[in-house]
Amino acid sequence: MSEIFRRAVQYQSRASRTSSVVLVSIILLMKIAIEGCCHGALDAIYRHIETLEARNNYLVDLLLICGDFQAIRNHRDLQCMAVPQKYRELGDFHKYYTGEKTAPVLTIVIGGNHEASNYFWELYHGGWLAPNIYFLGHAGCIQVDGLRIAGASGIFKRNDFHQGHYEQVPYDHGSMRSIYHIREYNIRRLSLLNSPHIFLSHDWPQSIEQHGDVQGLLRRKPFFHQDVNTGNLGSPPLMGLLQTLRPQWWFSAHLHVRFEAVVYHGQLPGSEANAPLAVQNPDEIAIVDDDFDTDTTNGPSVEPRNPDEITLDEEEDNVVDAPSVCTQPSETKFLALDKCLPRRDFLEVIDIPASDSFPPSASSSRRRPRLTYDPEWLAITRAFHPYLSTSRRQAVYPDEATARAKIKEELLWVEKNVQPKTLVDDTALLPGMRDIEDCQVFVQTAPGPGSEGGETMQQPPWYTNPQTVAFCEMLEVENKINPPPS
């Protein structure tokens, strides 16, 4: 572990995690495991965590996975994943979905560009993919023991960025790919958050390599040279979010290499990236069948080439960065990790101070952190719900001042109608945090492998997910994602 990440654990309390104290009111550290690309290898990831726990005599509180999770429930879900036929493998997730296995540690995931996109669409607003495995949604923010964790699923492509979410099952060649392209709708919503502690993305923020050991990166990945030299590495809207939100930590995956950086906000003028980008990585598996969306208005686009990834020759870029709203100097620690393979840097365990008091783990048992909704994100969701488009056409967004005023109004609604009330000093009721499981409970919507029925080479039917129904009912908004068929 580098000096950057050694400094991050210096906040650790001297109190033992195996203390007999029932409740700790001082700030303690959460031990968080971060995984790069999962690619369906859940068994190997959980085994690796168990090995680290035994070797280092600690217990991991939380696992974060930065995309390409591949929540494949059965063979029909495979037909909704944008990879060549030879890469369509069930993986391990179906065992956790059907209850054959249970995730040993609370796991929070975002989506990448190789997913069973039909299942992630069912849970657009977030929800339980399986017991103890929670999906942040296409965009989202939650709290874990008071630690605010936000994230954005998918990758950036210029041609789809300004469109609505028009894709529906069964997906055709184009929509199977465009569905995981991040939309301006979600970037705008995320940009209105107050700074979270942690942000998860699949893509790297644009030109983030300029804030770390770029020469060391190029020695390991020499095929990045052209993109680094032209400023074409990473996602422009994500760098805009990083500069706007200024989280303490930012974790990514996608390029299948471990890389760390520190972005100093307000201290190093001129150090931020300013060029549009796309990624080439000869470590990927190039797939030359994605010719459905070529844009020539700004010249030929530069496509990712990473033979260690499954690339679909479609990742473009060119978006205006979001404006910065923070003026005080601060820093964001960035860490990208590899995919889960032997002798790869695919997982790292770090300590991060938790905001809430919590009972420490006993040496022989794992503590389950408390997972709650983030009130501000619920307010943003209500405020922007009228602009959620399920067609290609995207409605005009409100200006920032109007949006923030509406969010402030909706936050009062959330405090009144969603958050539980806590009695204080026998005189006042104050809103508290609402546990996610008070509203959303995992339910299987599709059968497991071998029970699909019909032709397994066909895409699955439309499923209405009770968790999305419950979420929309909680916020009193229309379920535009997967309403029951009329």
Side-chain angles (χ1 to χ4, degrees):
M1 186 181 293
S2 74
E3 181 60 27
I4 291 173
F5 295 97
R6 286 195 186 93
R7 284 189 284 135
V9 302
Q10 289 176 354
Y11 300 103
Q12 185 166 9
S13 166
R14 295 183 182 275
S16 169
R17 290 178 63 81
T18 59
S19 166
S20 60
V21 177
V22 175
L23 185 67
V24 180
S25 58
I26 61 173
I27 293 179
L28 292 181
L29 294 182
M30 289 188 68
K31 196 165 288 291
I32 300 178
I34 303 96
E35 162 67 33
C37 295
C38 174
H39 288 289
L42 277 177
D43 288 351
I45 292 168
Y46 290 135
R47 280 197 305 268
H48 187 66
I49 290 175
E50 291 172 358
T51 299
L52 292 175
E53 290 177 329
R55 180 187 305 159
N56 298 294
N57 193 29
Y58 59 55
L59 291 175
V60 168
D61 298 304
L62 178 67
L63 169 63
L64 307 177
I65 299 181
C66 299
D68 283 358
F69 180 74
Q70 298 183 359
I72 300 161
R73 301 166 293 183
N74 55 45
H75 292 89
R76 297 187 75 173
D77 277 353
L78 285 172
Q79 308 310 313
C80 297
M81 187 167 70
V83 295
Q85 188 64 40
K86 65 179 179 179
Y87 296 113
R88 289 182 174 171
E89 300 177 349
L90 277 178
D92 301 329
F93 172 76
H94 67 92
K95 293 178 281 189
Y96 299 85
Y97 176 77
T98 60
E100 178 184 342
K101 291 187 174 183
T102 301
V105 57
L106 177 62
T107 303
I108 295 174
V109 311
I110 58 168
N113 57 319
H114 303 304
E115 307 287 4
S117 296
N118 58 319
Y119 191 23
F120 277 2
W121 177 255
E122 283 184 34
L123 295 171
Y124 179 89
H125 298 293
W128 299 100
L129 296 170
N132 224 26
I133 302 176
Y134 186 84
F135 174 48
L136 266 182
H138 279 226
C141 181
I142 59 171
Q143 297 191 26
V144 181
D145 282 342
L147 196 72
R148 298 185 79 212
I149 301 175
S153 292
I155 60 173
F156 172 70
K157 179 166 179 160
R158 179 173 61 249
N159 288 359
D160 294 312
F161 184 68
H162 299 290
Q163 298 197 29
H165 292 286
Y166 62 87
E167 301 87 353
Q168 292 185 1
V169 290
Y171 304 126
D172 59 23
H173 175 84
S175 62
M176 188 181 295
R177 290 148 180 82
S178 64
I179 190 171
Y180 58 71
H181 294 153
I182 195 167
R183 299 313 208 260
E184 181 184 12
Y185 174 77
N186 285 320
I187 294 296
R188 282 181 176 264
R189 292 197 298 158
L190 289 165
S191 72
L192 294 166
L193 280 169
N194 284 307
S195 181
H197 299 93
I198 294 172
F199 197 95
L200 307 179
S201 70
H202 190 60
D203 267 348
W204 292 20
Q206 178 188 31
S207 296
I208 189 70
E209 78 282 354
Q210 299 300 328
H211 301 271
D213 182 8
V214 64
Q215 294 306 317
L217 175 66
L218 292 176
R219 283 193 296 271
R220 288 177 292 157
K221 300 286 185 179
F223 39 84
F224 283 176
H225 265 288
Q226 179 179 354
D227 299 305
V228 168
N229 291 340
T230 58
N232 287 334
L233 189 69
S235 165
L238 289 183
M239 178 52 80
L241 276 181
L242 190 153
Q243 293 169 338
T244 300
L245 298 181
R246 305 185 176 191
Q248 297 173 18
W249 294 87
W250 189 296
F251 302 121
S252 297
H254 192 43
L255 298 185
H256 294 172
V257 61
R258 187 189 186 282
F259 182 75
E260 62 187 58
V262 178
V263 178
Y264 297 96
H265 304 292
Q267 294 183 6
L268 299 176
S271 64
E272 304 297 351
N274 56 13
L277 68 111
V279 178
Q280 284 207 337
N281 185 345
D283 213 13
E284 295 203 33
I285 302 166
I287 301 171
V288 291
D289 64 344
D290 292 336
D291 55 355
F292 66 94
D293 201 13
T294 303
D295 183 353
T296 59
T297 57
N298 294 310
S301 60
V302 182
E303 304 293 351
R305 294 292 184 276
N306 183 346
D308 210 15
E309 230 238 12
I310 304 170
T311 304
L312 299 176
D313 287 349
E314 62 185 41
E315 278 56 286
E316 301 179 52
D317 44 300
N318 227 356
V319 159
V320 177
D321 290 348
S324 175
V325 297
C326 180
T327 58
Q328 295 187 356
S330 60
E331 66 180 33
T332 295
K333 301 178 182 70
F334 173 83
L335 175 64
L337 292 164
D338 207 330
K339 67 177 176 179
C340 182
L341 284 175
R343 297 177 297 280
R344 298 289 192 93
D345 293 324
F346 62 86
L347 187 141
E348 190 147 333
V349 178
I350 65 174
D351 291 333
I352 298 180
S355 299
D356 279 359
S357 303
F358 59 83
S361 300
S363 58
S364 59
S365 60
R366 190 189 311 277
R367 178 186 74 84
R368 190 179 191 273
R370 184 185 178 197
L371 192 64
T372 58
Y373 290 112
D374 183 81
E376 186 183 32
W377 181 251
L378 296 183
I380 291 172
T381 300
R382 271 183 58 88
F384 266 71
H385 191 263
Y387 306 96
L388 174 57
S389 171
T390 54
S391 68
R392 286 183 182 270
R393 184 179 180 276
Q394 175 59 58
V396 177
Y397 298 107
D399 60 55
E400 182 177 349
T402 302
R404 290 193 181 277
K406 181 62 174 175
I407 291 166
K408 185 176 180 180
E409 174 186 325
E410 295 296 354
L411 187 56
L412 294 175
W413 186 95
V414 169
E415 291 175 352
K416 178 181 178 180
N417 296 282
V418 175
Q419 295 177 258
K421 304 301 185 291
T422 303
L423 185 64
V424 178
D425 296 331
D426 296 325
T427 58
L429 287 173
L430 295 179
M433 295 295 128
R434 182 167 185 180
D435 290 324
I436 287 177
E437 288 178 304
D438 284 348
C439 172
Q440 294 176 288
V441 179
F442 170 70
V443 177
Q444 289 189 29
T445 51
S451 303
E452 302 95 327
E455 178 53 60
T456 59
M457 295 300 291
Q458 293 179 351
Q459 293 185 28
W462 173 282
Y463 294 111
T464 296
N465 198 302
Q467 294 187 71
T468 298
V469 173
F471 181 88
C472 292
E473 288 178 349
M474 176 184 72
L475 292 187
E476 297 183 8
V477 298
E478 177 190 358
N479 177 11
K480 298 181 180 181
I481 301 306
N482 51 11
S486 58

